[in-house]
Structures are given as structure tokens and as C-alpha cells.
Amino acid sequence: MIHQRSRTFAHRLRYRLWMLLLDLDEVDGAQSSLRLLPRKAFGLISFRPQDHGDRSDRPLRAQIETHLADAGIDLDGGPIRLLTMPRILGYGFNPISVFFCHRPDGAIAALLYEVTNTFNERHSYLVAVPSPPPLGEGDPEGVEGAGRKPIRQTTEKTFFVSPFMDRDLTYDFTVRPPGDAVSVVVAVRRGDTPILTASFAGSRRPLTDGQLLRAFLTHPLLTWKVTAGIHWEAAKMMLKGARYRDRGPPPKQPVTAGHARS
């Protein structure tokens, strides 16, 4: 993960992390077969659907489908896959999680970016993905290959995250959907002026107990370090002259709609 701030003052941070990619229809079966990924609040590593969405016991897929329906998007039963960090030793915090919402043929219909700030507030940005043009006969990529080309999307920033950044900004997302690798880049700008870029890139590994244990040992206290790092970097930014912005009220709606960009 890399954060690079380029306006007002220069600031850069880089740290290693790992994330889970979970199919919401298959996560129960995966957890029943894995000893190191229980469905509870505490564990060496754990995942709880209630840590996402509105934090209720309502099925997470149903929550995402409701947001999609409000935007006029019907997956027709296609898979929804979540890219997120798990809880570590009972503690979970995800600055951003991404839901990849697929059509039955595997093409991506929409991306939902779930953003959580350090005040335990949450807001999501939902952006539809235009249907790809029909593939020519014998096209070697197929739908899955075409679906792994970079997706570029834009939305206005409506939710308070960093205390050092105003709300009247724009997010530009560039996402390479999961295949052998995945990447998510969030560029923040004011008009045409770049302010900050945050990015994550990772390589796919099988979801096994062995890989989970390896990830835990090579990236100890993952979520704890993310939260501690946010506050440590905030302290350093204040020493550089950063000033707190007015937090203001949260958005009235839980989801902000964005749009595709070329």
C-alpha cells in the first residue's frame, strides 16, 4: 500500500498488507473448511460479514443487492466478491473494501467502494461498469479476460475521511479486477489539481490455512498496524503544518453514485 500526498506539503508512506478475496455466496463453505478463518469476533484471523455493510445481521449479499437495485442494476444472480482485510486477534479496520459485482457471464456490472473512517463512520461509493461490446468470434480474451482490463471510475467525495482534507474533492478510481493479481488506485484531486494518490496491488494466493498462517506471520498485527500507522502519520503531518478540517455532518444517504470515465 502506497500513499503519496503532492499538494500543500509532500508526504509519502508505504507499508505491506494483505487482503482476502471472498465470494459472498461461498464464504460460509470456505469458513467451515478453514480452521484459521472462523466466523466470530475473536480469533488469530477471522471474518464476520457483520463488519461490513450496515453492520447488522442482514445477509451482506442482500444489502449490496439493495444498493444495486436502487441504482437500477440487476446482477441476475451473478457473484459478488469482496476484497477486504480480516480481523486480526479480534480487531478489524478497513479504510476501504471493494465489492466486485458480477453478471452471470462473469463480466463486472458495478463496483462498490466501502469506506470507513477512524470515527467508525461508513459510506460507500457505487459505480456501474458499462457492458463491454460483443466480443468478436474467436476473441482469445473472452468475457473473463475482457473483464480484467483496467476499470476507470469517478465520484465526488461526500464523506469525511482524512481530517487534513476538504470534502469538496473528486475521487478517480483505477481498478484491475482480481485475476492472478489485483490493484486498486484511488487518486484524489481538486478540479484538475492532484492532491493524493493511494494504491494497493497484490498477487493471488490460494485460500488455505497454510497461506493464512504465512500471511499472519509475515504481516503480524496487520489491522492493528494500519490503525496505528494512520495516527502516527497524522502526527507527523501535523508537525509539517497540516491543519484539521471541519468534519461536518455525514452524508444523508449511505451510498453515493459515481460514473465511468474513459
Side-chain angles (χ1 to χ4, degrees), residues 3-218:
H3 282 240
Q4 177 74 52
R5 182 161 184 151
S6 54
R7 283 295 180 273
T8 307
F9 50 85
H11 190 78
R12 188 176 190 271
L13 65 98
R14 180 173 183 173
Y15 52 92
R16 299 179 63 197
L17 57 81
W18 59 278
M19 306 182 85
L20 298 173
L21 180 66
L22 302 171
D23 189 311
L24 298 189
D25 293 330
E26 299 176 0
V27 65
D28 286 344
Q31 288 186 281
S32 65
S33 65
L34 293 168
R35 298 178 63 185
L36 290 183
L37 194 64
R39 189 183 181 120
K40 58 184 180 181
F42 186 84
L44 191 69
I45 304 168
S46 57
F47 171 76
R48 299 174 69 247
Q50 295 90 339
D51 290 334
H52 297 274
D54 63 9
R55 300 184 175 96
S56 72
D57 289 331
R58 185 186 177 201
L60 189 53
R61 180 180 178 105
Q63 294 186 45
I64 304 305
E65 287 181 326
T66 296
H67 296 320
L68 293 170
D70 290 342
I73 301 170
D74 182 5
L75 298 185
D76 194 25
I80 300 175
R81 299 185 176 108
L82 168 63
L83 183 69
T84 192
M85 288 187 293
R87 284 179 176 241
I88 301 294
L89 295 175
Y91 177 70
F93 175 69
N94 276 277
I96 184 170
S97 299
V98 183
F99 292 86
F100 296 86
C101 307
H102 296 259
R103 301 182 181 91
D105 64 0
I108 295 180
L111 295 179
L112 186 141
Y113 305 91
E114 182 182 81
V115 179
T116 305
N117 63 24
T118 53
F119 302 98
N120 202 34
E121 298 171 333
R122 175 168 295 160
H123 188 73
S124 295
Y125 298 90
L126 175 62
V127 191
V129 177
S131 298
L135 296 171
E137 185 174 351
D139 192 314
E141 286 190 322
V143 172
E144 287 291 334
R148 299 215 168 85
K149 294 179 179 179
I151 297 171
R152 294 180 173 86
Q153 301 176 315
T154 292
T155 182
E156 298 307 309
K157 181 177 183 285
T158 60
F159 177 59
F160 183 88
V161 181
S162 168
F164 307 121
M165 295 178 66
D166 298 319
R167 197 176 299 199
D168 58 338
L169 301 172
T170 299
Y171 289 138
D172 292 326
F173 301 102
T174 303
V175 179
R176 287 189 178 272
D180 292 335
V182 63
S183 65
V184 178
V185 179
V186 184
V188 186
R189 58 183 168 87
R190 178 181 289 109
D192 294 328
T193 303
I195 303 295
L196 177 146
T197 300
S199 62
F200 165 78
S203 299
R204 193 166 195 159
R205 297 288 185 271
L207 184 58
T208 65
D209 282 323
Q211 289 290 345
L212 288 170
L213 181 59
R214 180 176 181 274
F216 178 85
L217 294 175
T218 56

Side-chain angles (χ1 to χ4, degrees), residues 234-253:
K236 292 196 293 184
M237 289 171 67
M238 291 182 68
L239 292 176
K240 291 182 178 182
R243 295 182 178 180
Y244 267 72
R245 273 26 178 207
D246 178 36
R247 183 173 167 189
K252 294 181 179 180
Q253 301 299 324

